[in-house]
Amino acid sequence: MTSSSSPSQDTKRLAHAYPEGLRADALMEEDVAWSYEIDGDRDGDQFDRTERAALRRVVGLSTELEDVTEVEYRQLRLERVVLVGVWTTGTAQDADNSLAELAALAETAGALVLDGVIQRRDKPDAATYIGSGKAAELRDIVIETGADTVICDGELSPGQLIQLEDIVKVKVIDRTALILDIFAQHAKSREGKAQVALAQMQYMLPRLRGWGQSLSRQMGGGRGGLATRGPGETKIETDRRRIREKMAKMRREIAEMKTGREIKRQERRRNKVPSVAIAGYTNAGKSSLLNRLTGAGVLVENALFATLDPTVRRAETPSGRLYTLVDTVGFVRHLPHHLVEAFRSTMEEVGDSDLILHVVDGSHPNPEEQLAAVREVIRDVGATDVPEIVVVNKADAADPLVLQRLLRVEKRSIAVSARTGQGIEELLGLIDDELPRPSVEIEALVPYTHGKLVARAHTEGEVISEEHTAEGTLLKVRVHEELAADLAPYVPVSAA
């Protein structure tokens, strides 16, 4: 065990209660149901908020009854956790922000955060993540607070997980397992559940373990008789084989579901409907913005990863052009690579879009970090060539100096508030300007017997002028080459 008299090397104890703005406070409130006063102006119908809130009426874990006949009065206790992080780079404020985000993740998963500690090291300890001496101190904190779980702000190797659990004597999980648990709670669609299940199995496969001698029992070997000869297979090997088989089956199912989404995407391409993807950090306000722009009624909540399943809604620009808005899964720092791989087919919506609305929380202590984390994932899915508009949300709650800094650094950016509607009209105009326009401008006199061409001009192109004459509809439009070829026979001779 090593020790140092330097304050930077000592364990830094955090406050039992984080600052108000850094916690997922809505998760700890008893009544989180939709209310018009709070949500009516921004969030649409909030179709599944009541259902989500109904699952949170649990405030403790105690099976002690004053009267055994009064079973309904039993209370369940939320999991009590202590957080631990390793500060390797950056400032002390960066380390505090990272642990505060871990606290919000833990509360989103349904845990009660009791305490948090940060250990200053050059790199995480290879054996116990924080070193044996600090692990012993962590054990004392666990006993003092009565915690039953330790959550580490990083991805632990199987060896680190086992050795740290041996010291602290309670369950230890890492950031990756915590995020996977949140995804498992919030996934609602068949594809979302399959993607989360695949990511969980990928994570658990190298961490599989059991108790006692059960994992060393082998079928075969020795003088066992018929059908028992050979080295056999231990139970852990059987479990691993079964998990690999389930993973292969899950990948096939996800590939089939991906085909269905690709067909819908091709239909939109065939109809020349532009696509706008809303991407951004979790809890930045993507769903609120979607509701404000389209009235989609998607669940909006002060929680990390409140919505996981992509939502596609039809919208219209101020000039009358149709396009689709896609609300994608939120990103977070150090997003587990298992999730990036499992959700790759969903994240491809970003790569196939014509424009990305990159939403960032203007009221966050460090919005630049959010921008960097999201752009890293955008690079991973190959969407770096798609035009991007940075939408600084929550402008009504943000520091004006922070807004000015972001708008100055990000050249194509705009400040909005999905809650109050500030800047929404300007954003719609910016989307109209940035969406790709049809390449051919044409004037055609379409007979009334060919009304379908006029309808296609409205849905697939951009109508500059329209006049109804005795011979037919005189259109001046910008359209794609395919529709231009269909309209060519009706171009007036004078215009040709």
Side-chain angles (χ1 to χ4, degrees):
M1 182 180 71
T2 60
S3 62
S4 170
S5 59
S6 170
S8 64
Q9 295 296 326
D10 289 336
T11 303
K12 180 179 179 181
R13 295 290 298 273
L14 299 182
H16 284 267
Y18 290 99
E20 195 74 18
L22 295 179
R23 294 175 66 85
D25 293 323
L27 300 176
M28 308 309 292
E29 296 173 1
E30 187 166 330
D31 185 10
V32 294
W34 186 92
S35 68
Y36 181 81
E37 292 78 6
I38 298 174
D39 302 312
D41 293 337
R42 63 175 184 187
D43 293 340
D45 293 330
Q46 295 290 282
F47 296 139
D48 54 355
R49 175 179 285 277
T50 303
E51 177 187 348
R52 180 73 64 84
L55 302 177
R56 286 216 183 91
R57 302 290 177 168
V58 181
V59 293
L61 181 76
S62 174
T63 57
E64 298 176 1
L65 303 177
E66 294 182 4
D67 183 349
V68 293
T69 63
E70 304 293 335
V71 177
E72 63 269 23
Y73 290 111
R74 284 185 296 181
Q75 291 184 325
L76 298 177
R77 177 175 60 80
L78 298 176
E79 206 160 351
R80 300 160 62 85
V81 302
V82 172
L83 312 179
V84 57
V86 173
W87 170 22
T88 56
T89 59
T91 64
Q93 185 62 44
D94 293 336
D96 288 350
N97 289 342
S98 181
L99 209 65
E101 182 176 272
L102 187 67
L105 286 167
E107 291 174 358
T108 301
L112 179 62
V113 178
L114 302 175
D115 204 351
V117 296
I118 293 177
Q119 165 68 6
R120 183 73 168 97
R121 299 178 62 93
D122 293 334
K123 61 181 180 179
D125 182 69
T128 60
Y129 184 66
I130 54 174
S132 56
K134 299 306 177 186
E137 291 181 23
L138 179 61
R139 169 62 180 162
D140 295 337
I141 296 171
V142 168
I143 295 173
E144 176 189 336
T145 57
D148 48 38
T149 304
V150 170
I151 304 178
C152 297
D153 191 16
E155 184 167 335
L156 272 60
S157 68
Q160 288 173 324
L161 204 63
I162 293 171
Q163 294 194 52
L164 193 55
E165 275 189 354
D166 287 342
I167 295 173
V168 299
K169 306 300 182 185
V170 295
K171 181 173 68 174
V172 176
I173 63 173
D174 58 15
R175 183 188 181 95
T176 301
L178 179 62
I179 294 176
L180 288 171
D181 181 72
I182 295 171
F183 271 59
Q185 290 181 42
H186 292 180
K188 296 185 65 177
S189 69
R190 178 168 170 256
E191 183 175 14
K193 290 177 180 178
Q195 290 167 329
V196 172
L198 176 60
Q200 286 178 318
M201 286 187 285
Q202 287 175 321
Y203 173 79
M204 288 303 300
L205 186 59
R207 293 168 176 81
L208 211 57
R209 53 194 170 113
W211 303 101
Q213 297 298 314
S214 63
L215 301 186
S216 62
R217 292 176 183 168
Q218 288 183 328
M219 175 184 172
R223 300 173 233 169
L226 293 176
T228 60
R229 293 177 178 82
E233 189 176 45
T234 63
K235 185 177 185 302
I236 195 168
E237 290 169 343
T238 303
D239 291 342
R240 284 174 179 160
R241 174 169 51 79
R242 287 175 177 169
I243 287 179
R244 290 191 187 98
E245 290 171 355
K246 286 183 179 179
M247 287 170 60
K249 180 182 177 183
M250 204 69 69
R251 287 193 181 99
R252 289 194 296 270
E253 290 180 0
I254 292 173
E256 291 171 2
M257 289 181 274
K258 177 184 175 183
T259 303
R261 195 184 319 103
E262 181 62 30
I263 291 172
K264 294 178 182 177
R265 202 180 294 147
Q266 287 175 358
E267 184 70 13
R268 293 198 294 268
R269 288 198 204 104
R270 187 176 67 81
N271 293 327
K272 304 295 187 291
V273 179
S275 173
V276 177
I278 303 177
Y281 211 77
T282 181
N283 209 28
K286 298 182 299 301
S287 297
S288 293
L289 186 63
L290 178 70
N291 289 343
R292 173 64 72 171
L293 294 174
T294 67
V298 176
L299 173 77
V300 176
E301 195 167 40
N302 179 26
L304 307 187
F305 302 114
T307 50
L308 293 181
D309 303 312
T311 304
V312 182
R313 290 292 183 270
R314 179 173 170 171
E316 190 173 316
T317 66
S319 64
R321 301 170 62 201
L322 294 177
Y323 65 98
T324 58
L325 267 173
V326 184
D327 181 19
T328 61
V329 64
F331 304 141
V332 72
R333 277 180 298 183
H334 314 303
L335 190 67
H337 66 276
H338 309 290
L339 280 174
V340 175
E341 287 301 317
F343 277 78
R344 182 170 294 277
S345 58
T346 302
M347 293 177 180
E348 284 173 359
E349 294 282 359
V350 178
D352 288 335
S353 62
D354 297 294
L355 179 66
I356 297 175
L357 296 185
H358 185 165
V359 183
V360 61
D361 182 357
S363 64
H364 191 270
N366 197 340
E368 287 85 359
E369 272 192 15
Q370 291 192 351
L371 286 166
V374 173
R375 282 170 175 158
E376 182 179 346
V377 180
I378 288 175
R379 281 196 301 271
D380 289 343
V381 298
T384 52
D385 296 333
V386 182
E388 175 191 67
I389 297 175
V390 175
V391 181
V392 186
N393 194 21
K394 306 183 185 179
D396 55 322
D399 184 342
L401 295 177
V402 174
L403 286 180
Q404 291 177 15
R405 186 178 75 236
L406 287 172
L407 296 176
R408 184 176 64 252
V409 173
E410 299 294 337
K411 302 305 179 185
R412 299 171 66 185
S413 59
I414 185 171
V416 305
S417 171
R419 178 186 176 88
T420 65
Q422 172 190 340
I424 295 298
E425 292 300 324
E426 292 83 353
L427 175 60
L428 286 171
L430 193 55
I431 292 173
D432 200 356
D433 294 338
E434 294 292 335
L435 281 177
R437 294 185 175 274
S439 55
V440 180
E441 185 173 320
I442 190 172
E443 185 175 336
L445 182 61
V446 183
Y448 290 119
T449 55
H450 291 72
K452 286 185 178 180
L453 284 176
V454 178
R456 285 182 60 192
H458 279 277
T459 56
E460 299 178 21
E462 187 177 349
V463 178
I464 301 171
S465 66
E466 183 177 14
E467 181 183 350
H468 298 288
T469 67
E471 295 79 16
T473 304
L474 182 61
L475 287 175
K476 187 175 182 181
V477 293
R478 287 194 189 92
V479 293
H480 298 284
E481 293 180 359
E482 181 182 342
L483 182 53
D486 293 339
L487 288 171
Y490 307 106
V491 175
V493 176
S494 59

